[in-house]
Amino acid sequence: MDIHEYQAKEILGRFGVPVPRGGLAYSPEQAAYRARELGGDAWVVKAQVHAGGRGAAGGVKLCRSVDEVQSYAASLFGRQLVTKQTDQAGKGVYRLWVEPACDIAQELYLGFVLDRKSERIMIVASAHGGIEIEDLAETDPASLRRMTIDPAAGLVEFQARELAFGLGLKGRQIAQMVTILQACYRAYRDLDAMMVEINPLVITGAGDLVALDAKMSFDTNALFRRPQIAELRDRSQEDPRESTAGDHGLAYVGLTGDIGCIINGAGLAMATMDMIKLAGGEPANFLDIGGGASPERVVRAFRTVLADRNVSVILVNIFAGINRCDWVAEGVVKAYREVGMTIPVVVRLAGTNVEEGKAILQASGLPLITADTLAEAADKAVAARPKLAA
């Protein structure tokens, strides 16, 4: 789960990371009020969306008057901000963050991520910040410094100092960096984060370190024990199909094709999408109904897939281990009748109680298209699309 910049700054600030003052605004008038409240003669206004690359997309601006703050805010609210990290639909702008302009002498990059190879938290840092880490890795890979943290010892002070020296920091900046690194590590560890990123971490004209931007994402599976994090969720930044599916315990990712997929098991789902592509089609989604799928769960999966109006065919591919094919078949029949299905449905069942499942499908009298293999199911799903158009 992602959160907004201002939320990440508030969290990191509580752990000891120096962050600038700022104010949240839900209207142009409130943005102007925040600027007056903060004081000064220049402010940075930032769109709060769950995507990087806001500056290049026109979502961040330095304003030199209160009127300019209000005018720029008015141009942002309600806008769909399209960045290189969003799809063509972009992300809606419904809140802004206003903070005083900062005297920047140098920009650094700092990130904490999970390194799955070493099974440890890894720090990635660079003396050249202000751009996306992907671009930095491509344009200046030698500038990236990496360090893994032993979970038994945590981030010890000598490691933090070594990283500070490697970034060319001097004097009191070294102690400040040690504090920032240890604070970010504690926030990552204590809140079940998946990523903590400060970009840029700036050296001000006065020589101090300040986190001008921050991102945090969290392990969704751990939110049950982090209610203070779960309440920061902003559904306006999520695909509504994915949000609804998640609320019902379904793993769903929306795609751009027209063949809806209802599958059990992430690996089988990936293989099914590959087979659809190989057969000349395009999957509309990734949907894993998981193990032990009841008929009611299958009905919810159908409703979730049909929420995408681009879907012209549904492919159900079940290999039953924990699941039972007869349960899934009952769910398919129930869903077909309840939702008033008007598009072709291809069903491939294998595994536990497969013969019982096939018998249920056949006895239903519904115009279901059955297949015995994954390749056959993918071919039939692709072939069924012209029938709808005709």
Side-chain angles (χ1 to χ4, degrees):
M1 185 191 81
D2 296 326
I3 61 174
H4 289 294
E5 169 197 356
Y6 76 92
Q7 295 168 328
K9 283 181 174 177
E10 182 180 353
I11 291 172
L12 294 178
R14 291 200 299 265
F15 279 86
V17 176
V19 296
R21 296 180 304 124
L24 188 63
Y26 291 93
S27 69
E29 295 75 18
Q30 193 173 22
Y33 174 80
R34 294 300 188 196
R36 295 190 190 95
E37 186 179 47
L38 292 167
D41 55 8
W43 305 267
V44 178
V45 181
K46 301 180 179 182
Q48 296 300 289
V49 295
H50 291 173
R54 293 173 299 168
V60 178
K61 184 177 181 180
L62 174 64
C63 300
R64 299 190 180 278
S65 71
V66 173
D67 288 342
E68 188 178 3
V69 169
Q70 183 166 341
S71 175
Y72 176 63
S75 72
L76 278 181
F77 277 112
R79 173 179 166 187
Q80 294 296 122
L81 191 67
V82 179
T83 79
K84 60 183 179 181
Q85 291 189 8
T86 70
D87 56 22
Q88 295 180 349
K91 298 283 187 179
V93 180
Y94 306 111
R95 59 187 86 178
L96 303 179
W97 182 248
V98 182
E99 62 187 30
C102 179
D103 179 16
I104 301 173
Q106 183 181 348
E107 296 182 339
L108 312 176
Y109 174 88
L110 180 62
F112 287 69
V113 294
L114 177 63
D115 178 31
R116 299 185 184 277
K117 183 176 182 180
S118 65
E119 299 181 350
R120 297 182 177 188
I121 298 171
M122 174 179 283
I123 303 175
V124 182
S126 174
H128 306 290
I131 61 175
E132 298 301 318
I133 185 64
E134 296 85 357
D135 298 334
L136 195 59
E138 183 176 343
T139 60
D140 192 9
S143 73
L144 294 177
R145 295 184 173 273
R146 298 176 175 85
M147 177 182 292
T148 56
I149 302 172
D150 187 333
L155 178 61
V156 292
E157 193 169 322
F158 83 86
Q159 283 183 298
R161 286 199 303 271
E162 180 182 346
L163 188 58
F165 291 139
L167 294 175
L169 301 181
K170 300 177 181 178
R172 70 176 187 274
Q173 296 169 357
I174 295 173
Q176 291 176 359
M177 177 58 89
V178 170
T179 298
I180 291 171
L181 288 169
Q182 292 182 328
C184 288
Y185 172 69
R186 289 196 304 273
Y188 189 110
R189 178 197 63 195
D190 295 351
L191 299 177
D192 291 307
M194 297 294 291
M195 186 266 294
V196 174
E197 182 183 74
I198 301 176
N199 186 29
L201 173 65
V202 303
I203 302 175
T204 67
D208 295 316
L209 296 178
V210 178
L212 277 198
D213 194 3
K215 291 182 184 177
M216 294 186 74
S217 62
F218 300 88
D219 183 355
T220 306
N221 295 317
L223 291 180
F224 72 95
R225 62 185 181 191
R226 305 291 175 209
Q228 75 277 27
I229 300 300
E231 67 184 13
L232 301 179
R233 181 180 181 183
D234 182 0
R235 290 179 178 270
S236 72
Q237 298 296 302
E238 301 174 0
D239 185 323
R241 300 169 300 174
E242 295 179 13
S243 297
T244 302
D247 291 341
H248 290 100
L250 301 172
Y252 179 96
V253 178
L255 303 173
T256 58
D258 66 337
I259 299 179
C261 302
I262 299 176
I263 306 160
N264 69 314
L268 184 60
M270 297 296 290
T272 302
M273 291 191 292
D274 287 344
M275 289 302 295
I276 290 172
K277 295 277 287 185
L278 187 63
E282 290 290 338
N285 63 271
F286 167 104
L287 191 151
D288 176 11
I289 60 174
S294 64
E296 290 72 26
R297 190 178 180 87
V298 176
V299 173
R300 286 199 296 269
F302 266 86
R303 293 188 185 279
T304 300
V305 171
L306 291 172
D308 183 349
R309 296 185 178 182
N310 292 326
V311 171
S312 63
V313 182
I314 292 180
L315 170 57
V316 180
N317 183 24
I318 301 296
F319 186 88
I322 299 174
N323 276 326
R324 286 172 40 182
C325 289
D326 53 336
W327 286 353
V328 174
E330 289 175 8
V332 170
V333 172
K334 184 177 180 180
Y336 200 104
R337 290 171 174 159
E338 284 190 9
V339 304
M341 196 72 64
T342 59
I343 63 176
V345 176
V346 180
V347 184
R348 179 253 179 170
L349 301 176
T352 306
N353 291 358
V354 62
E355 295 304 327
E356 291 87 338
K358 289 181 178 179
I360 291 171
L361 296 180
Q362 185 174 5
S364 70
L366 299 174
L368 298 166
I369 304 170
T370 58
D372 293 324
T373 67
L374 173 53
E376 181 187 359
D379 288 338
K380 287 186 174 182
V382 172
R385 293 183 300 168
K387 296 179 182 178
L388 180 67

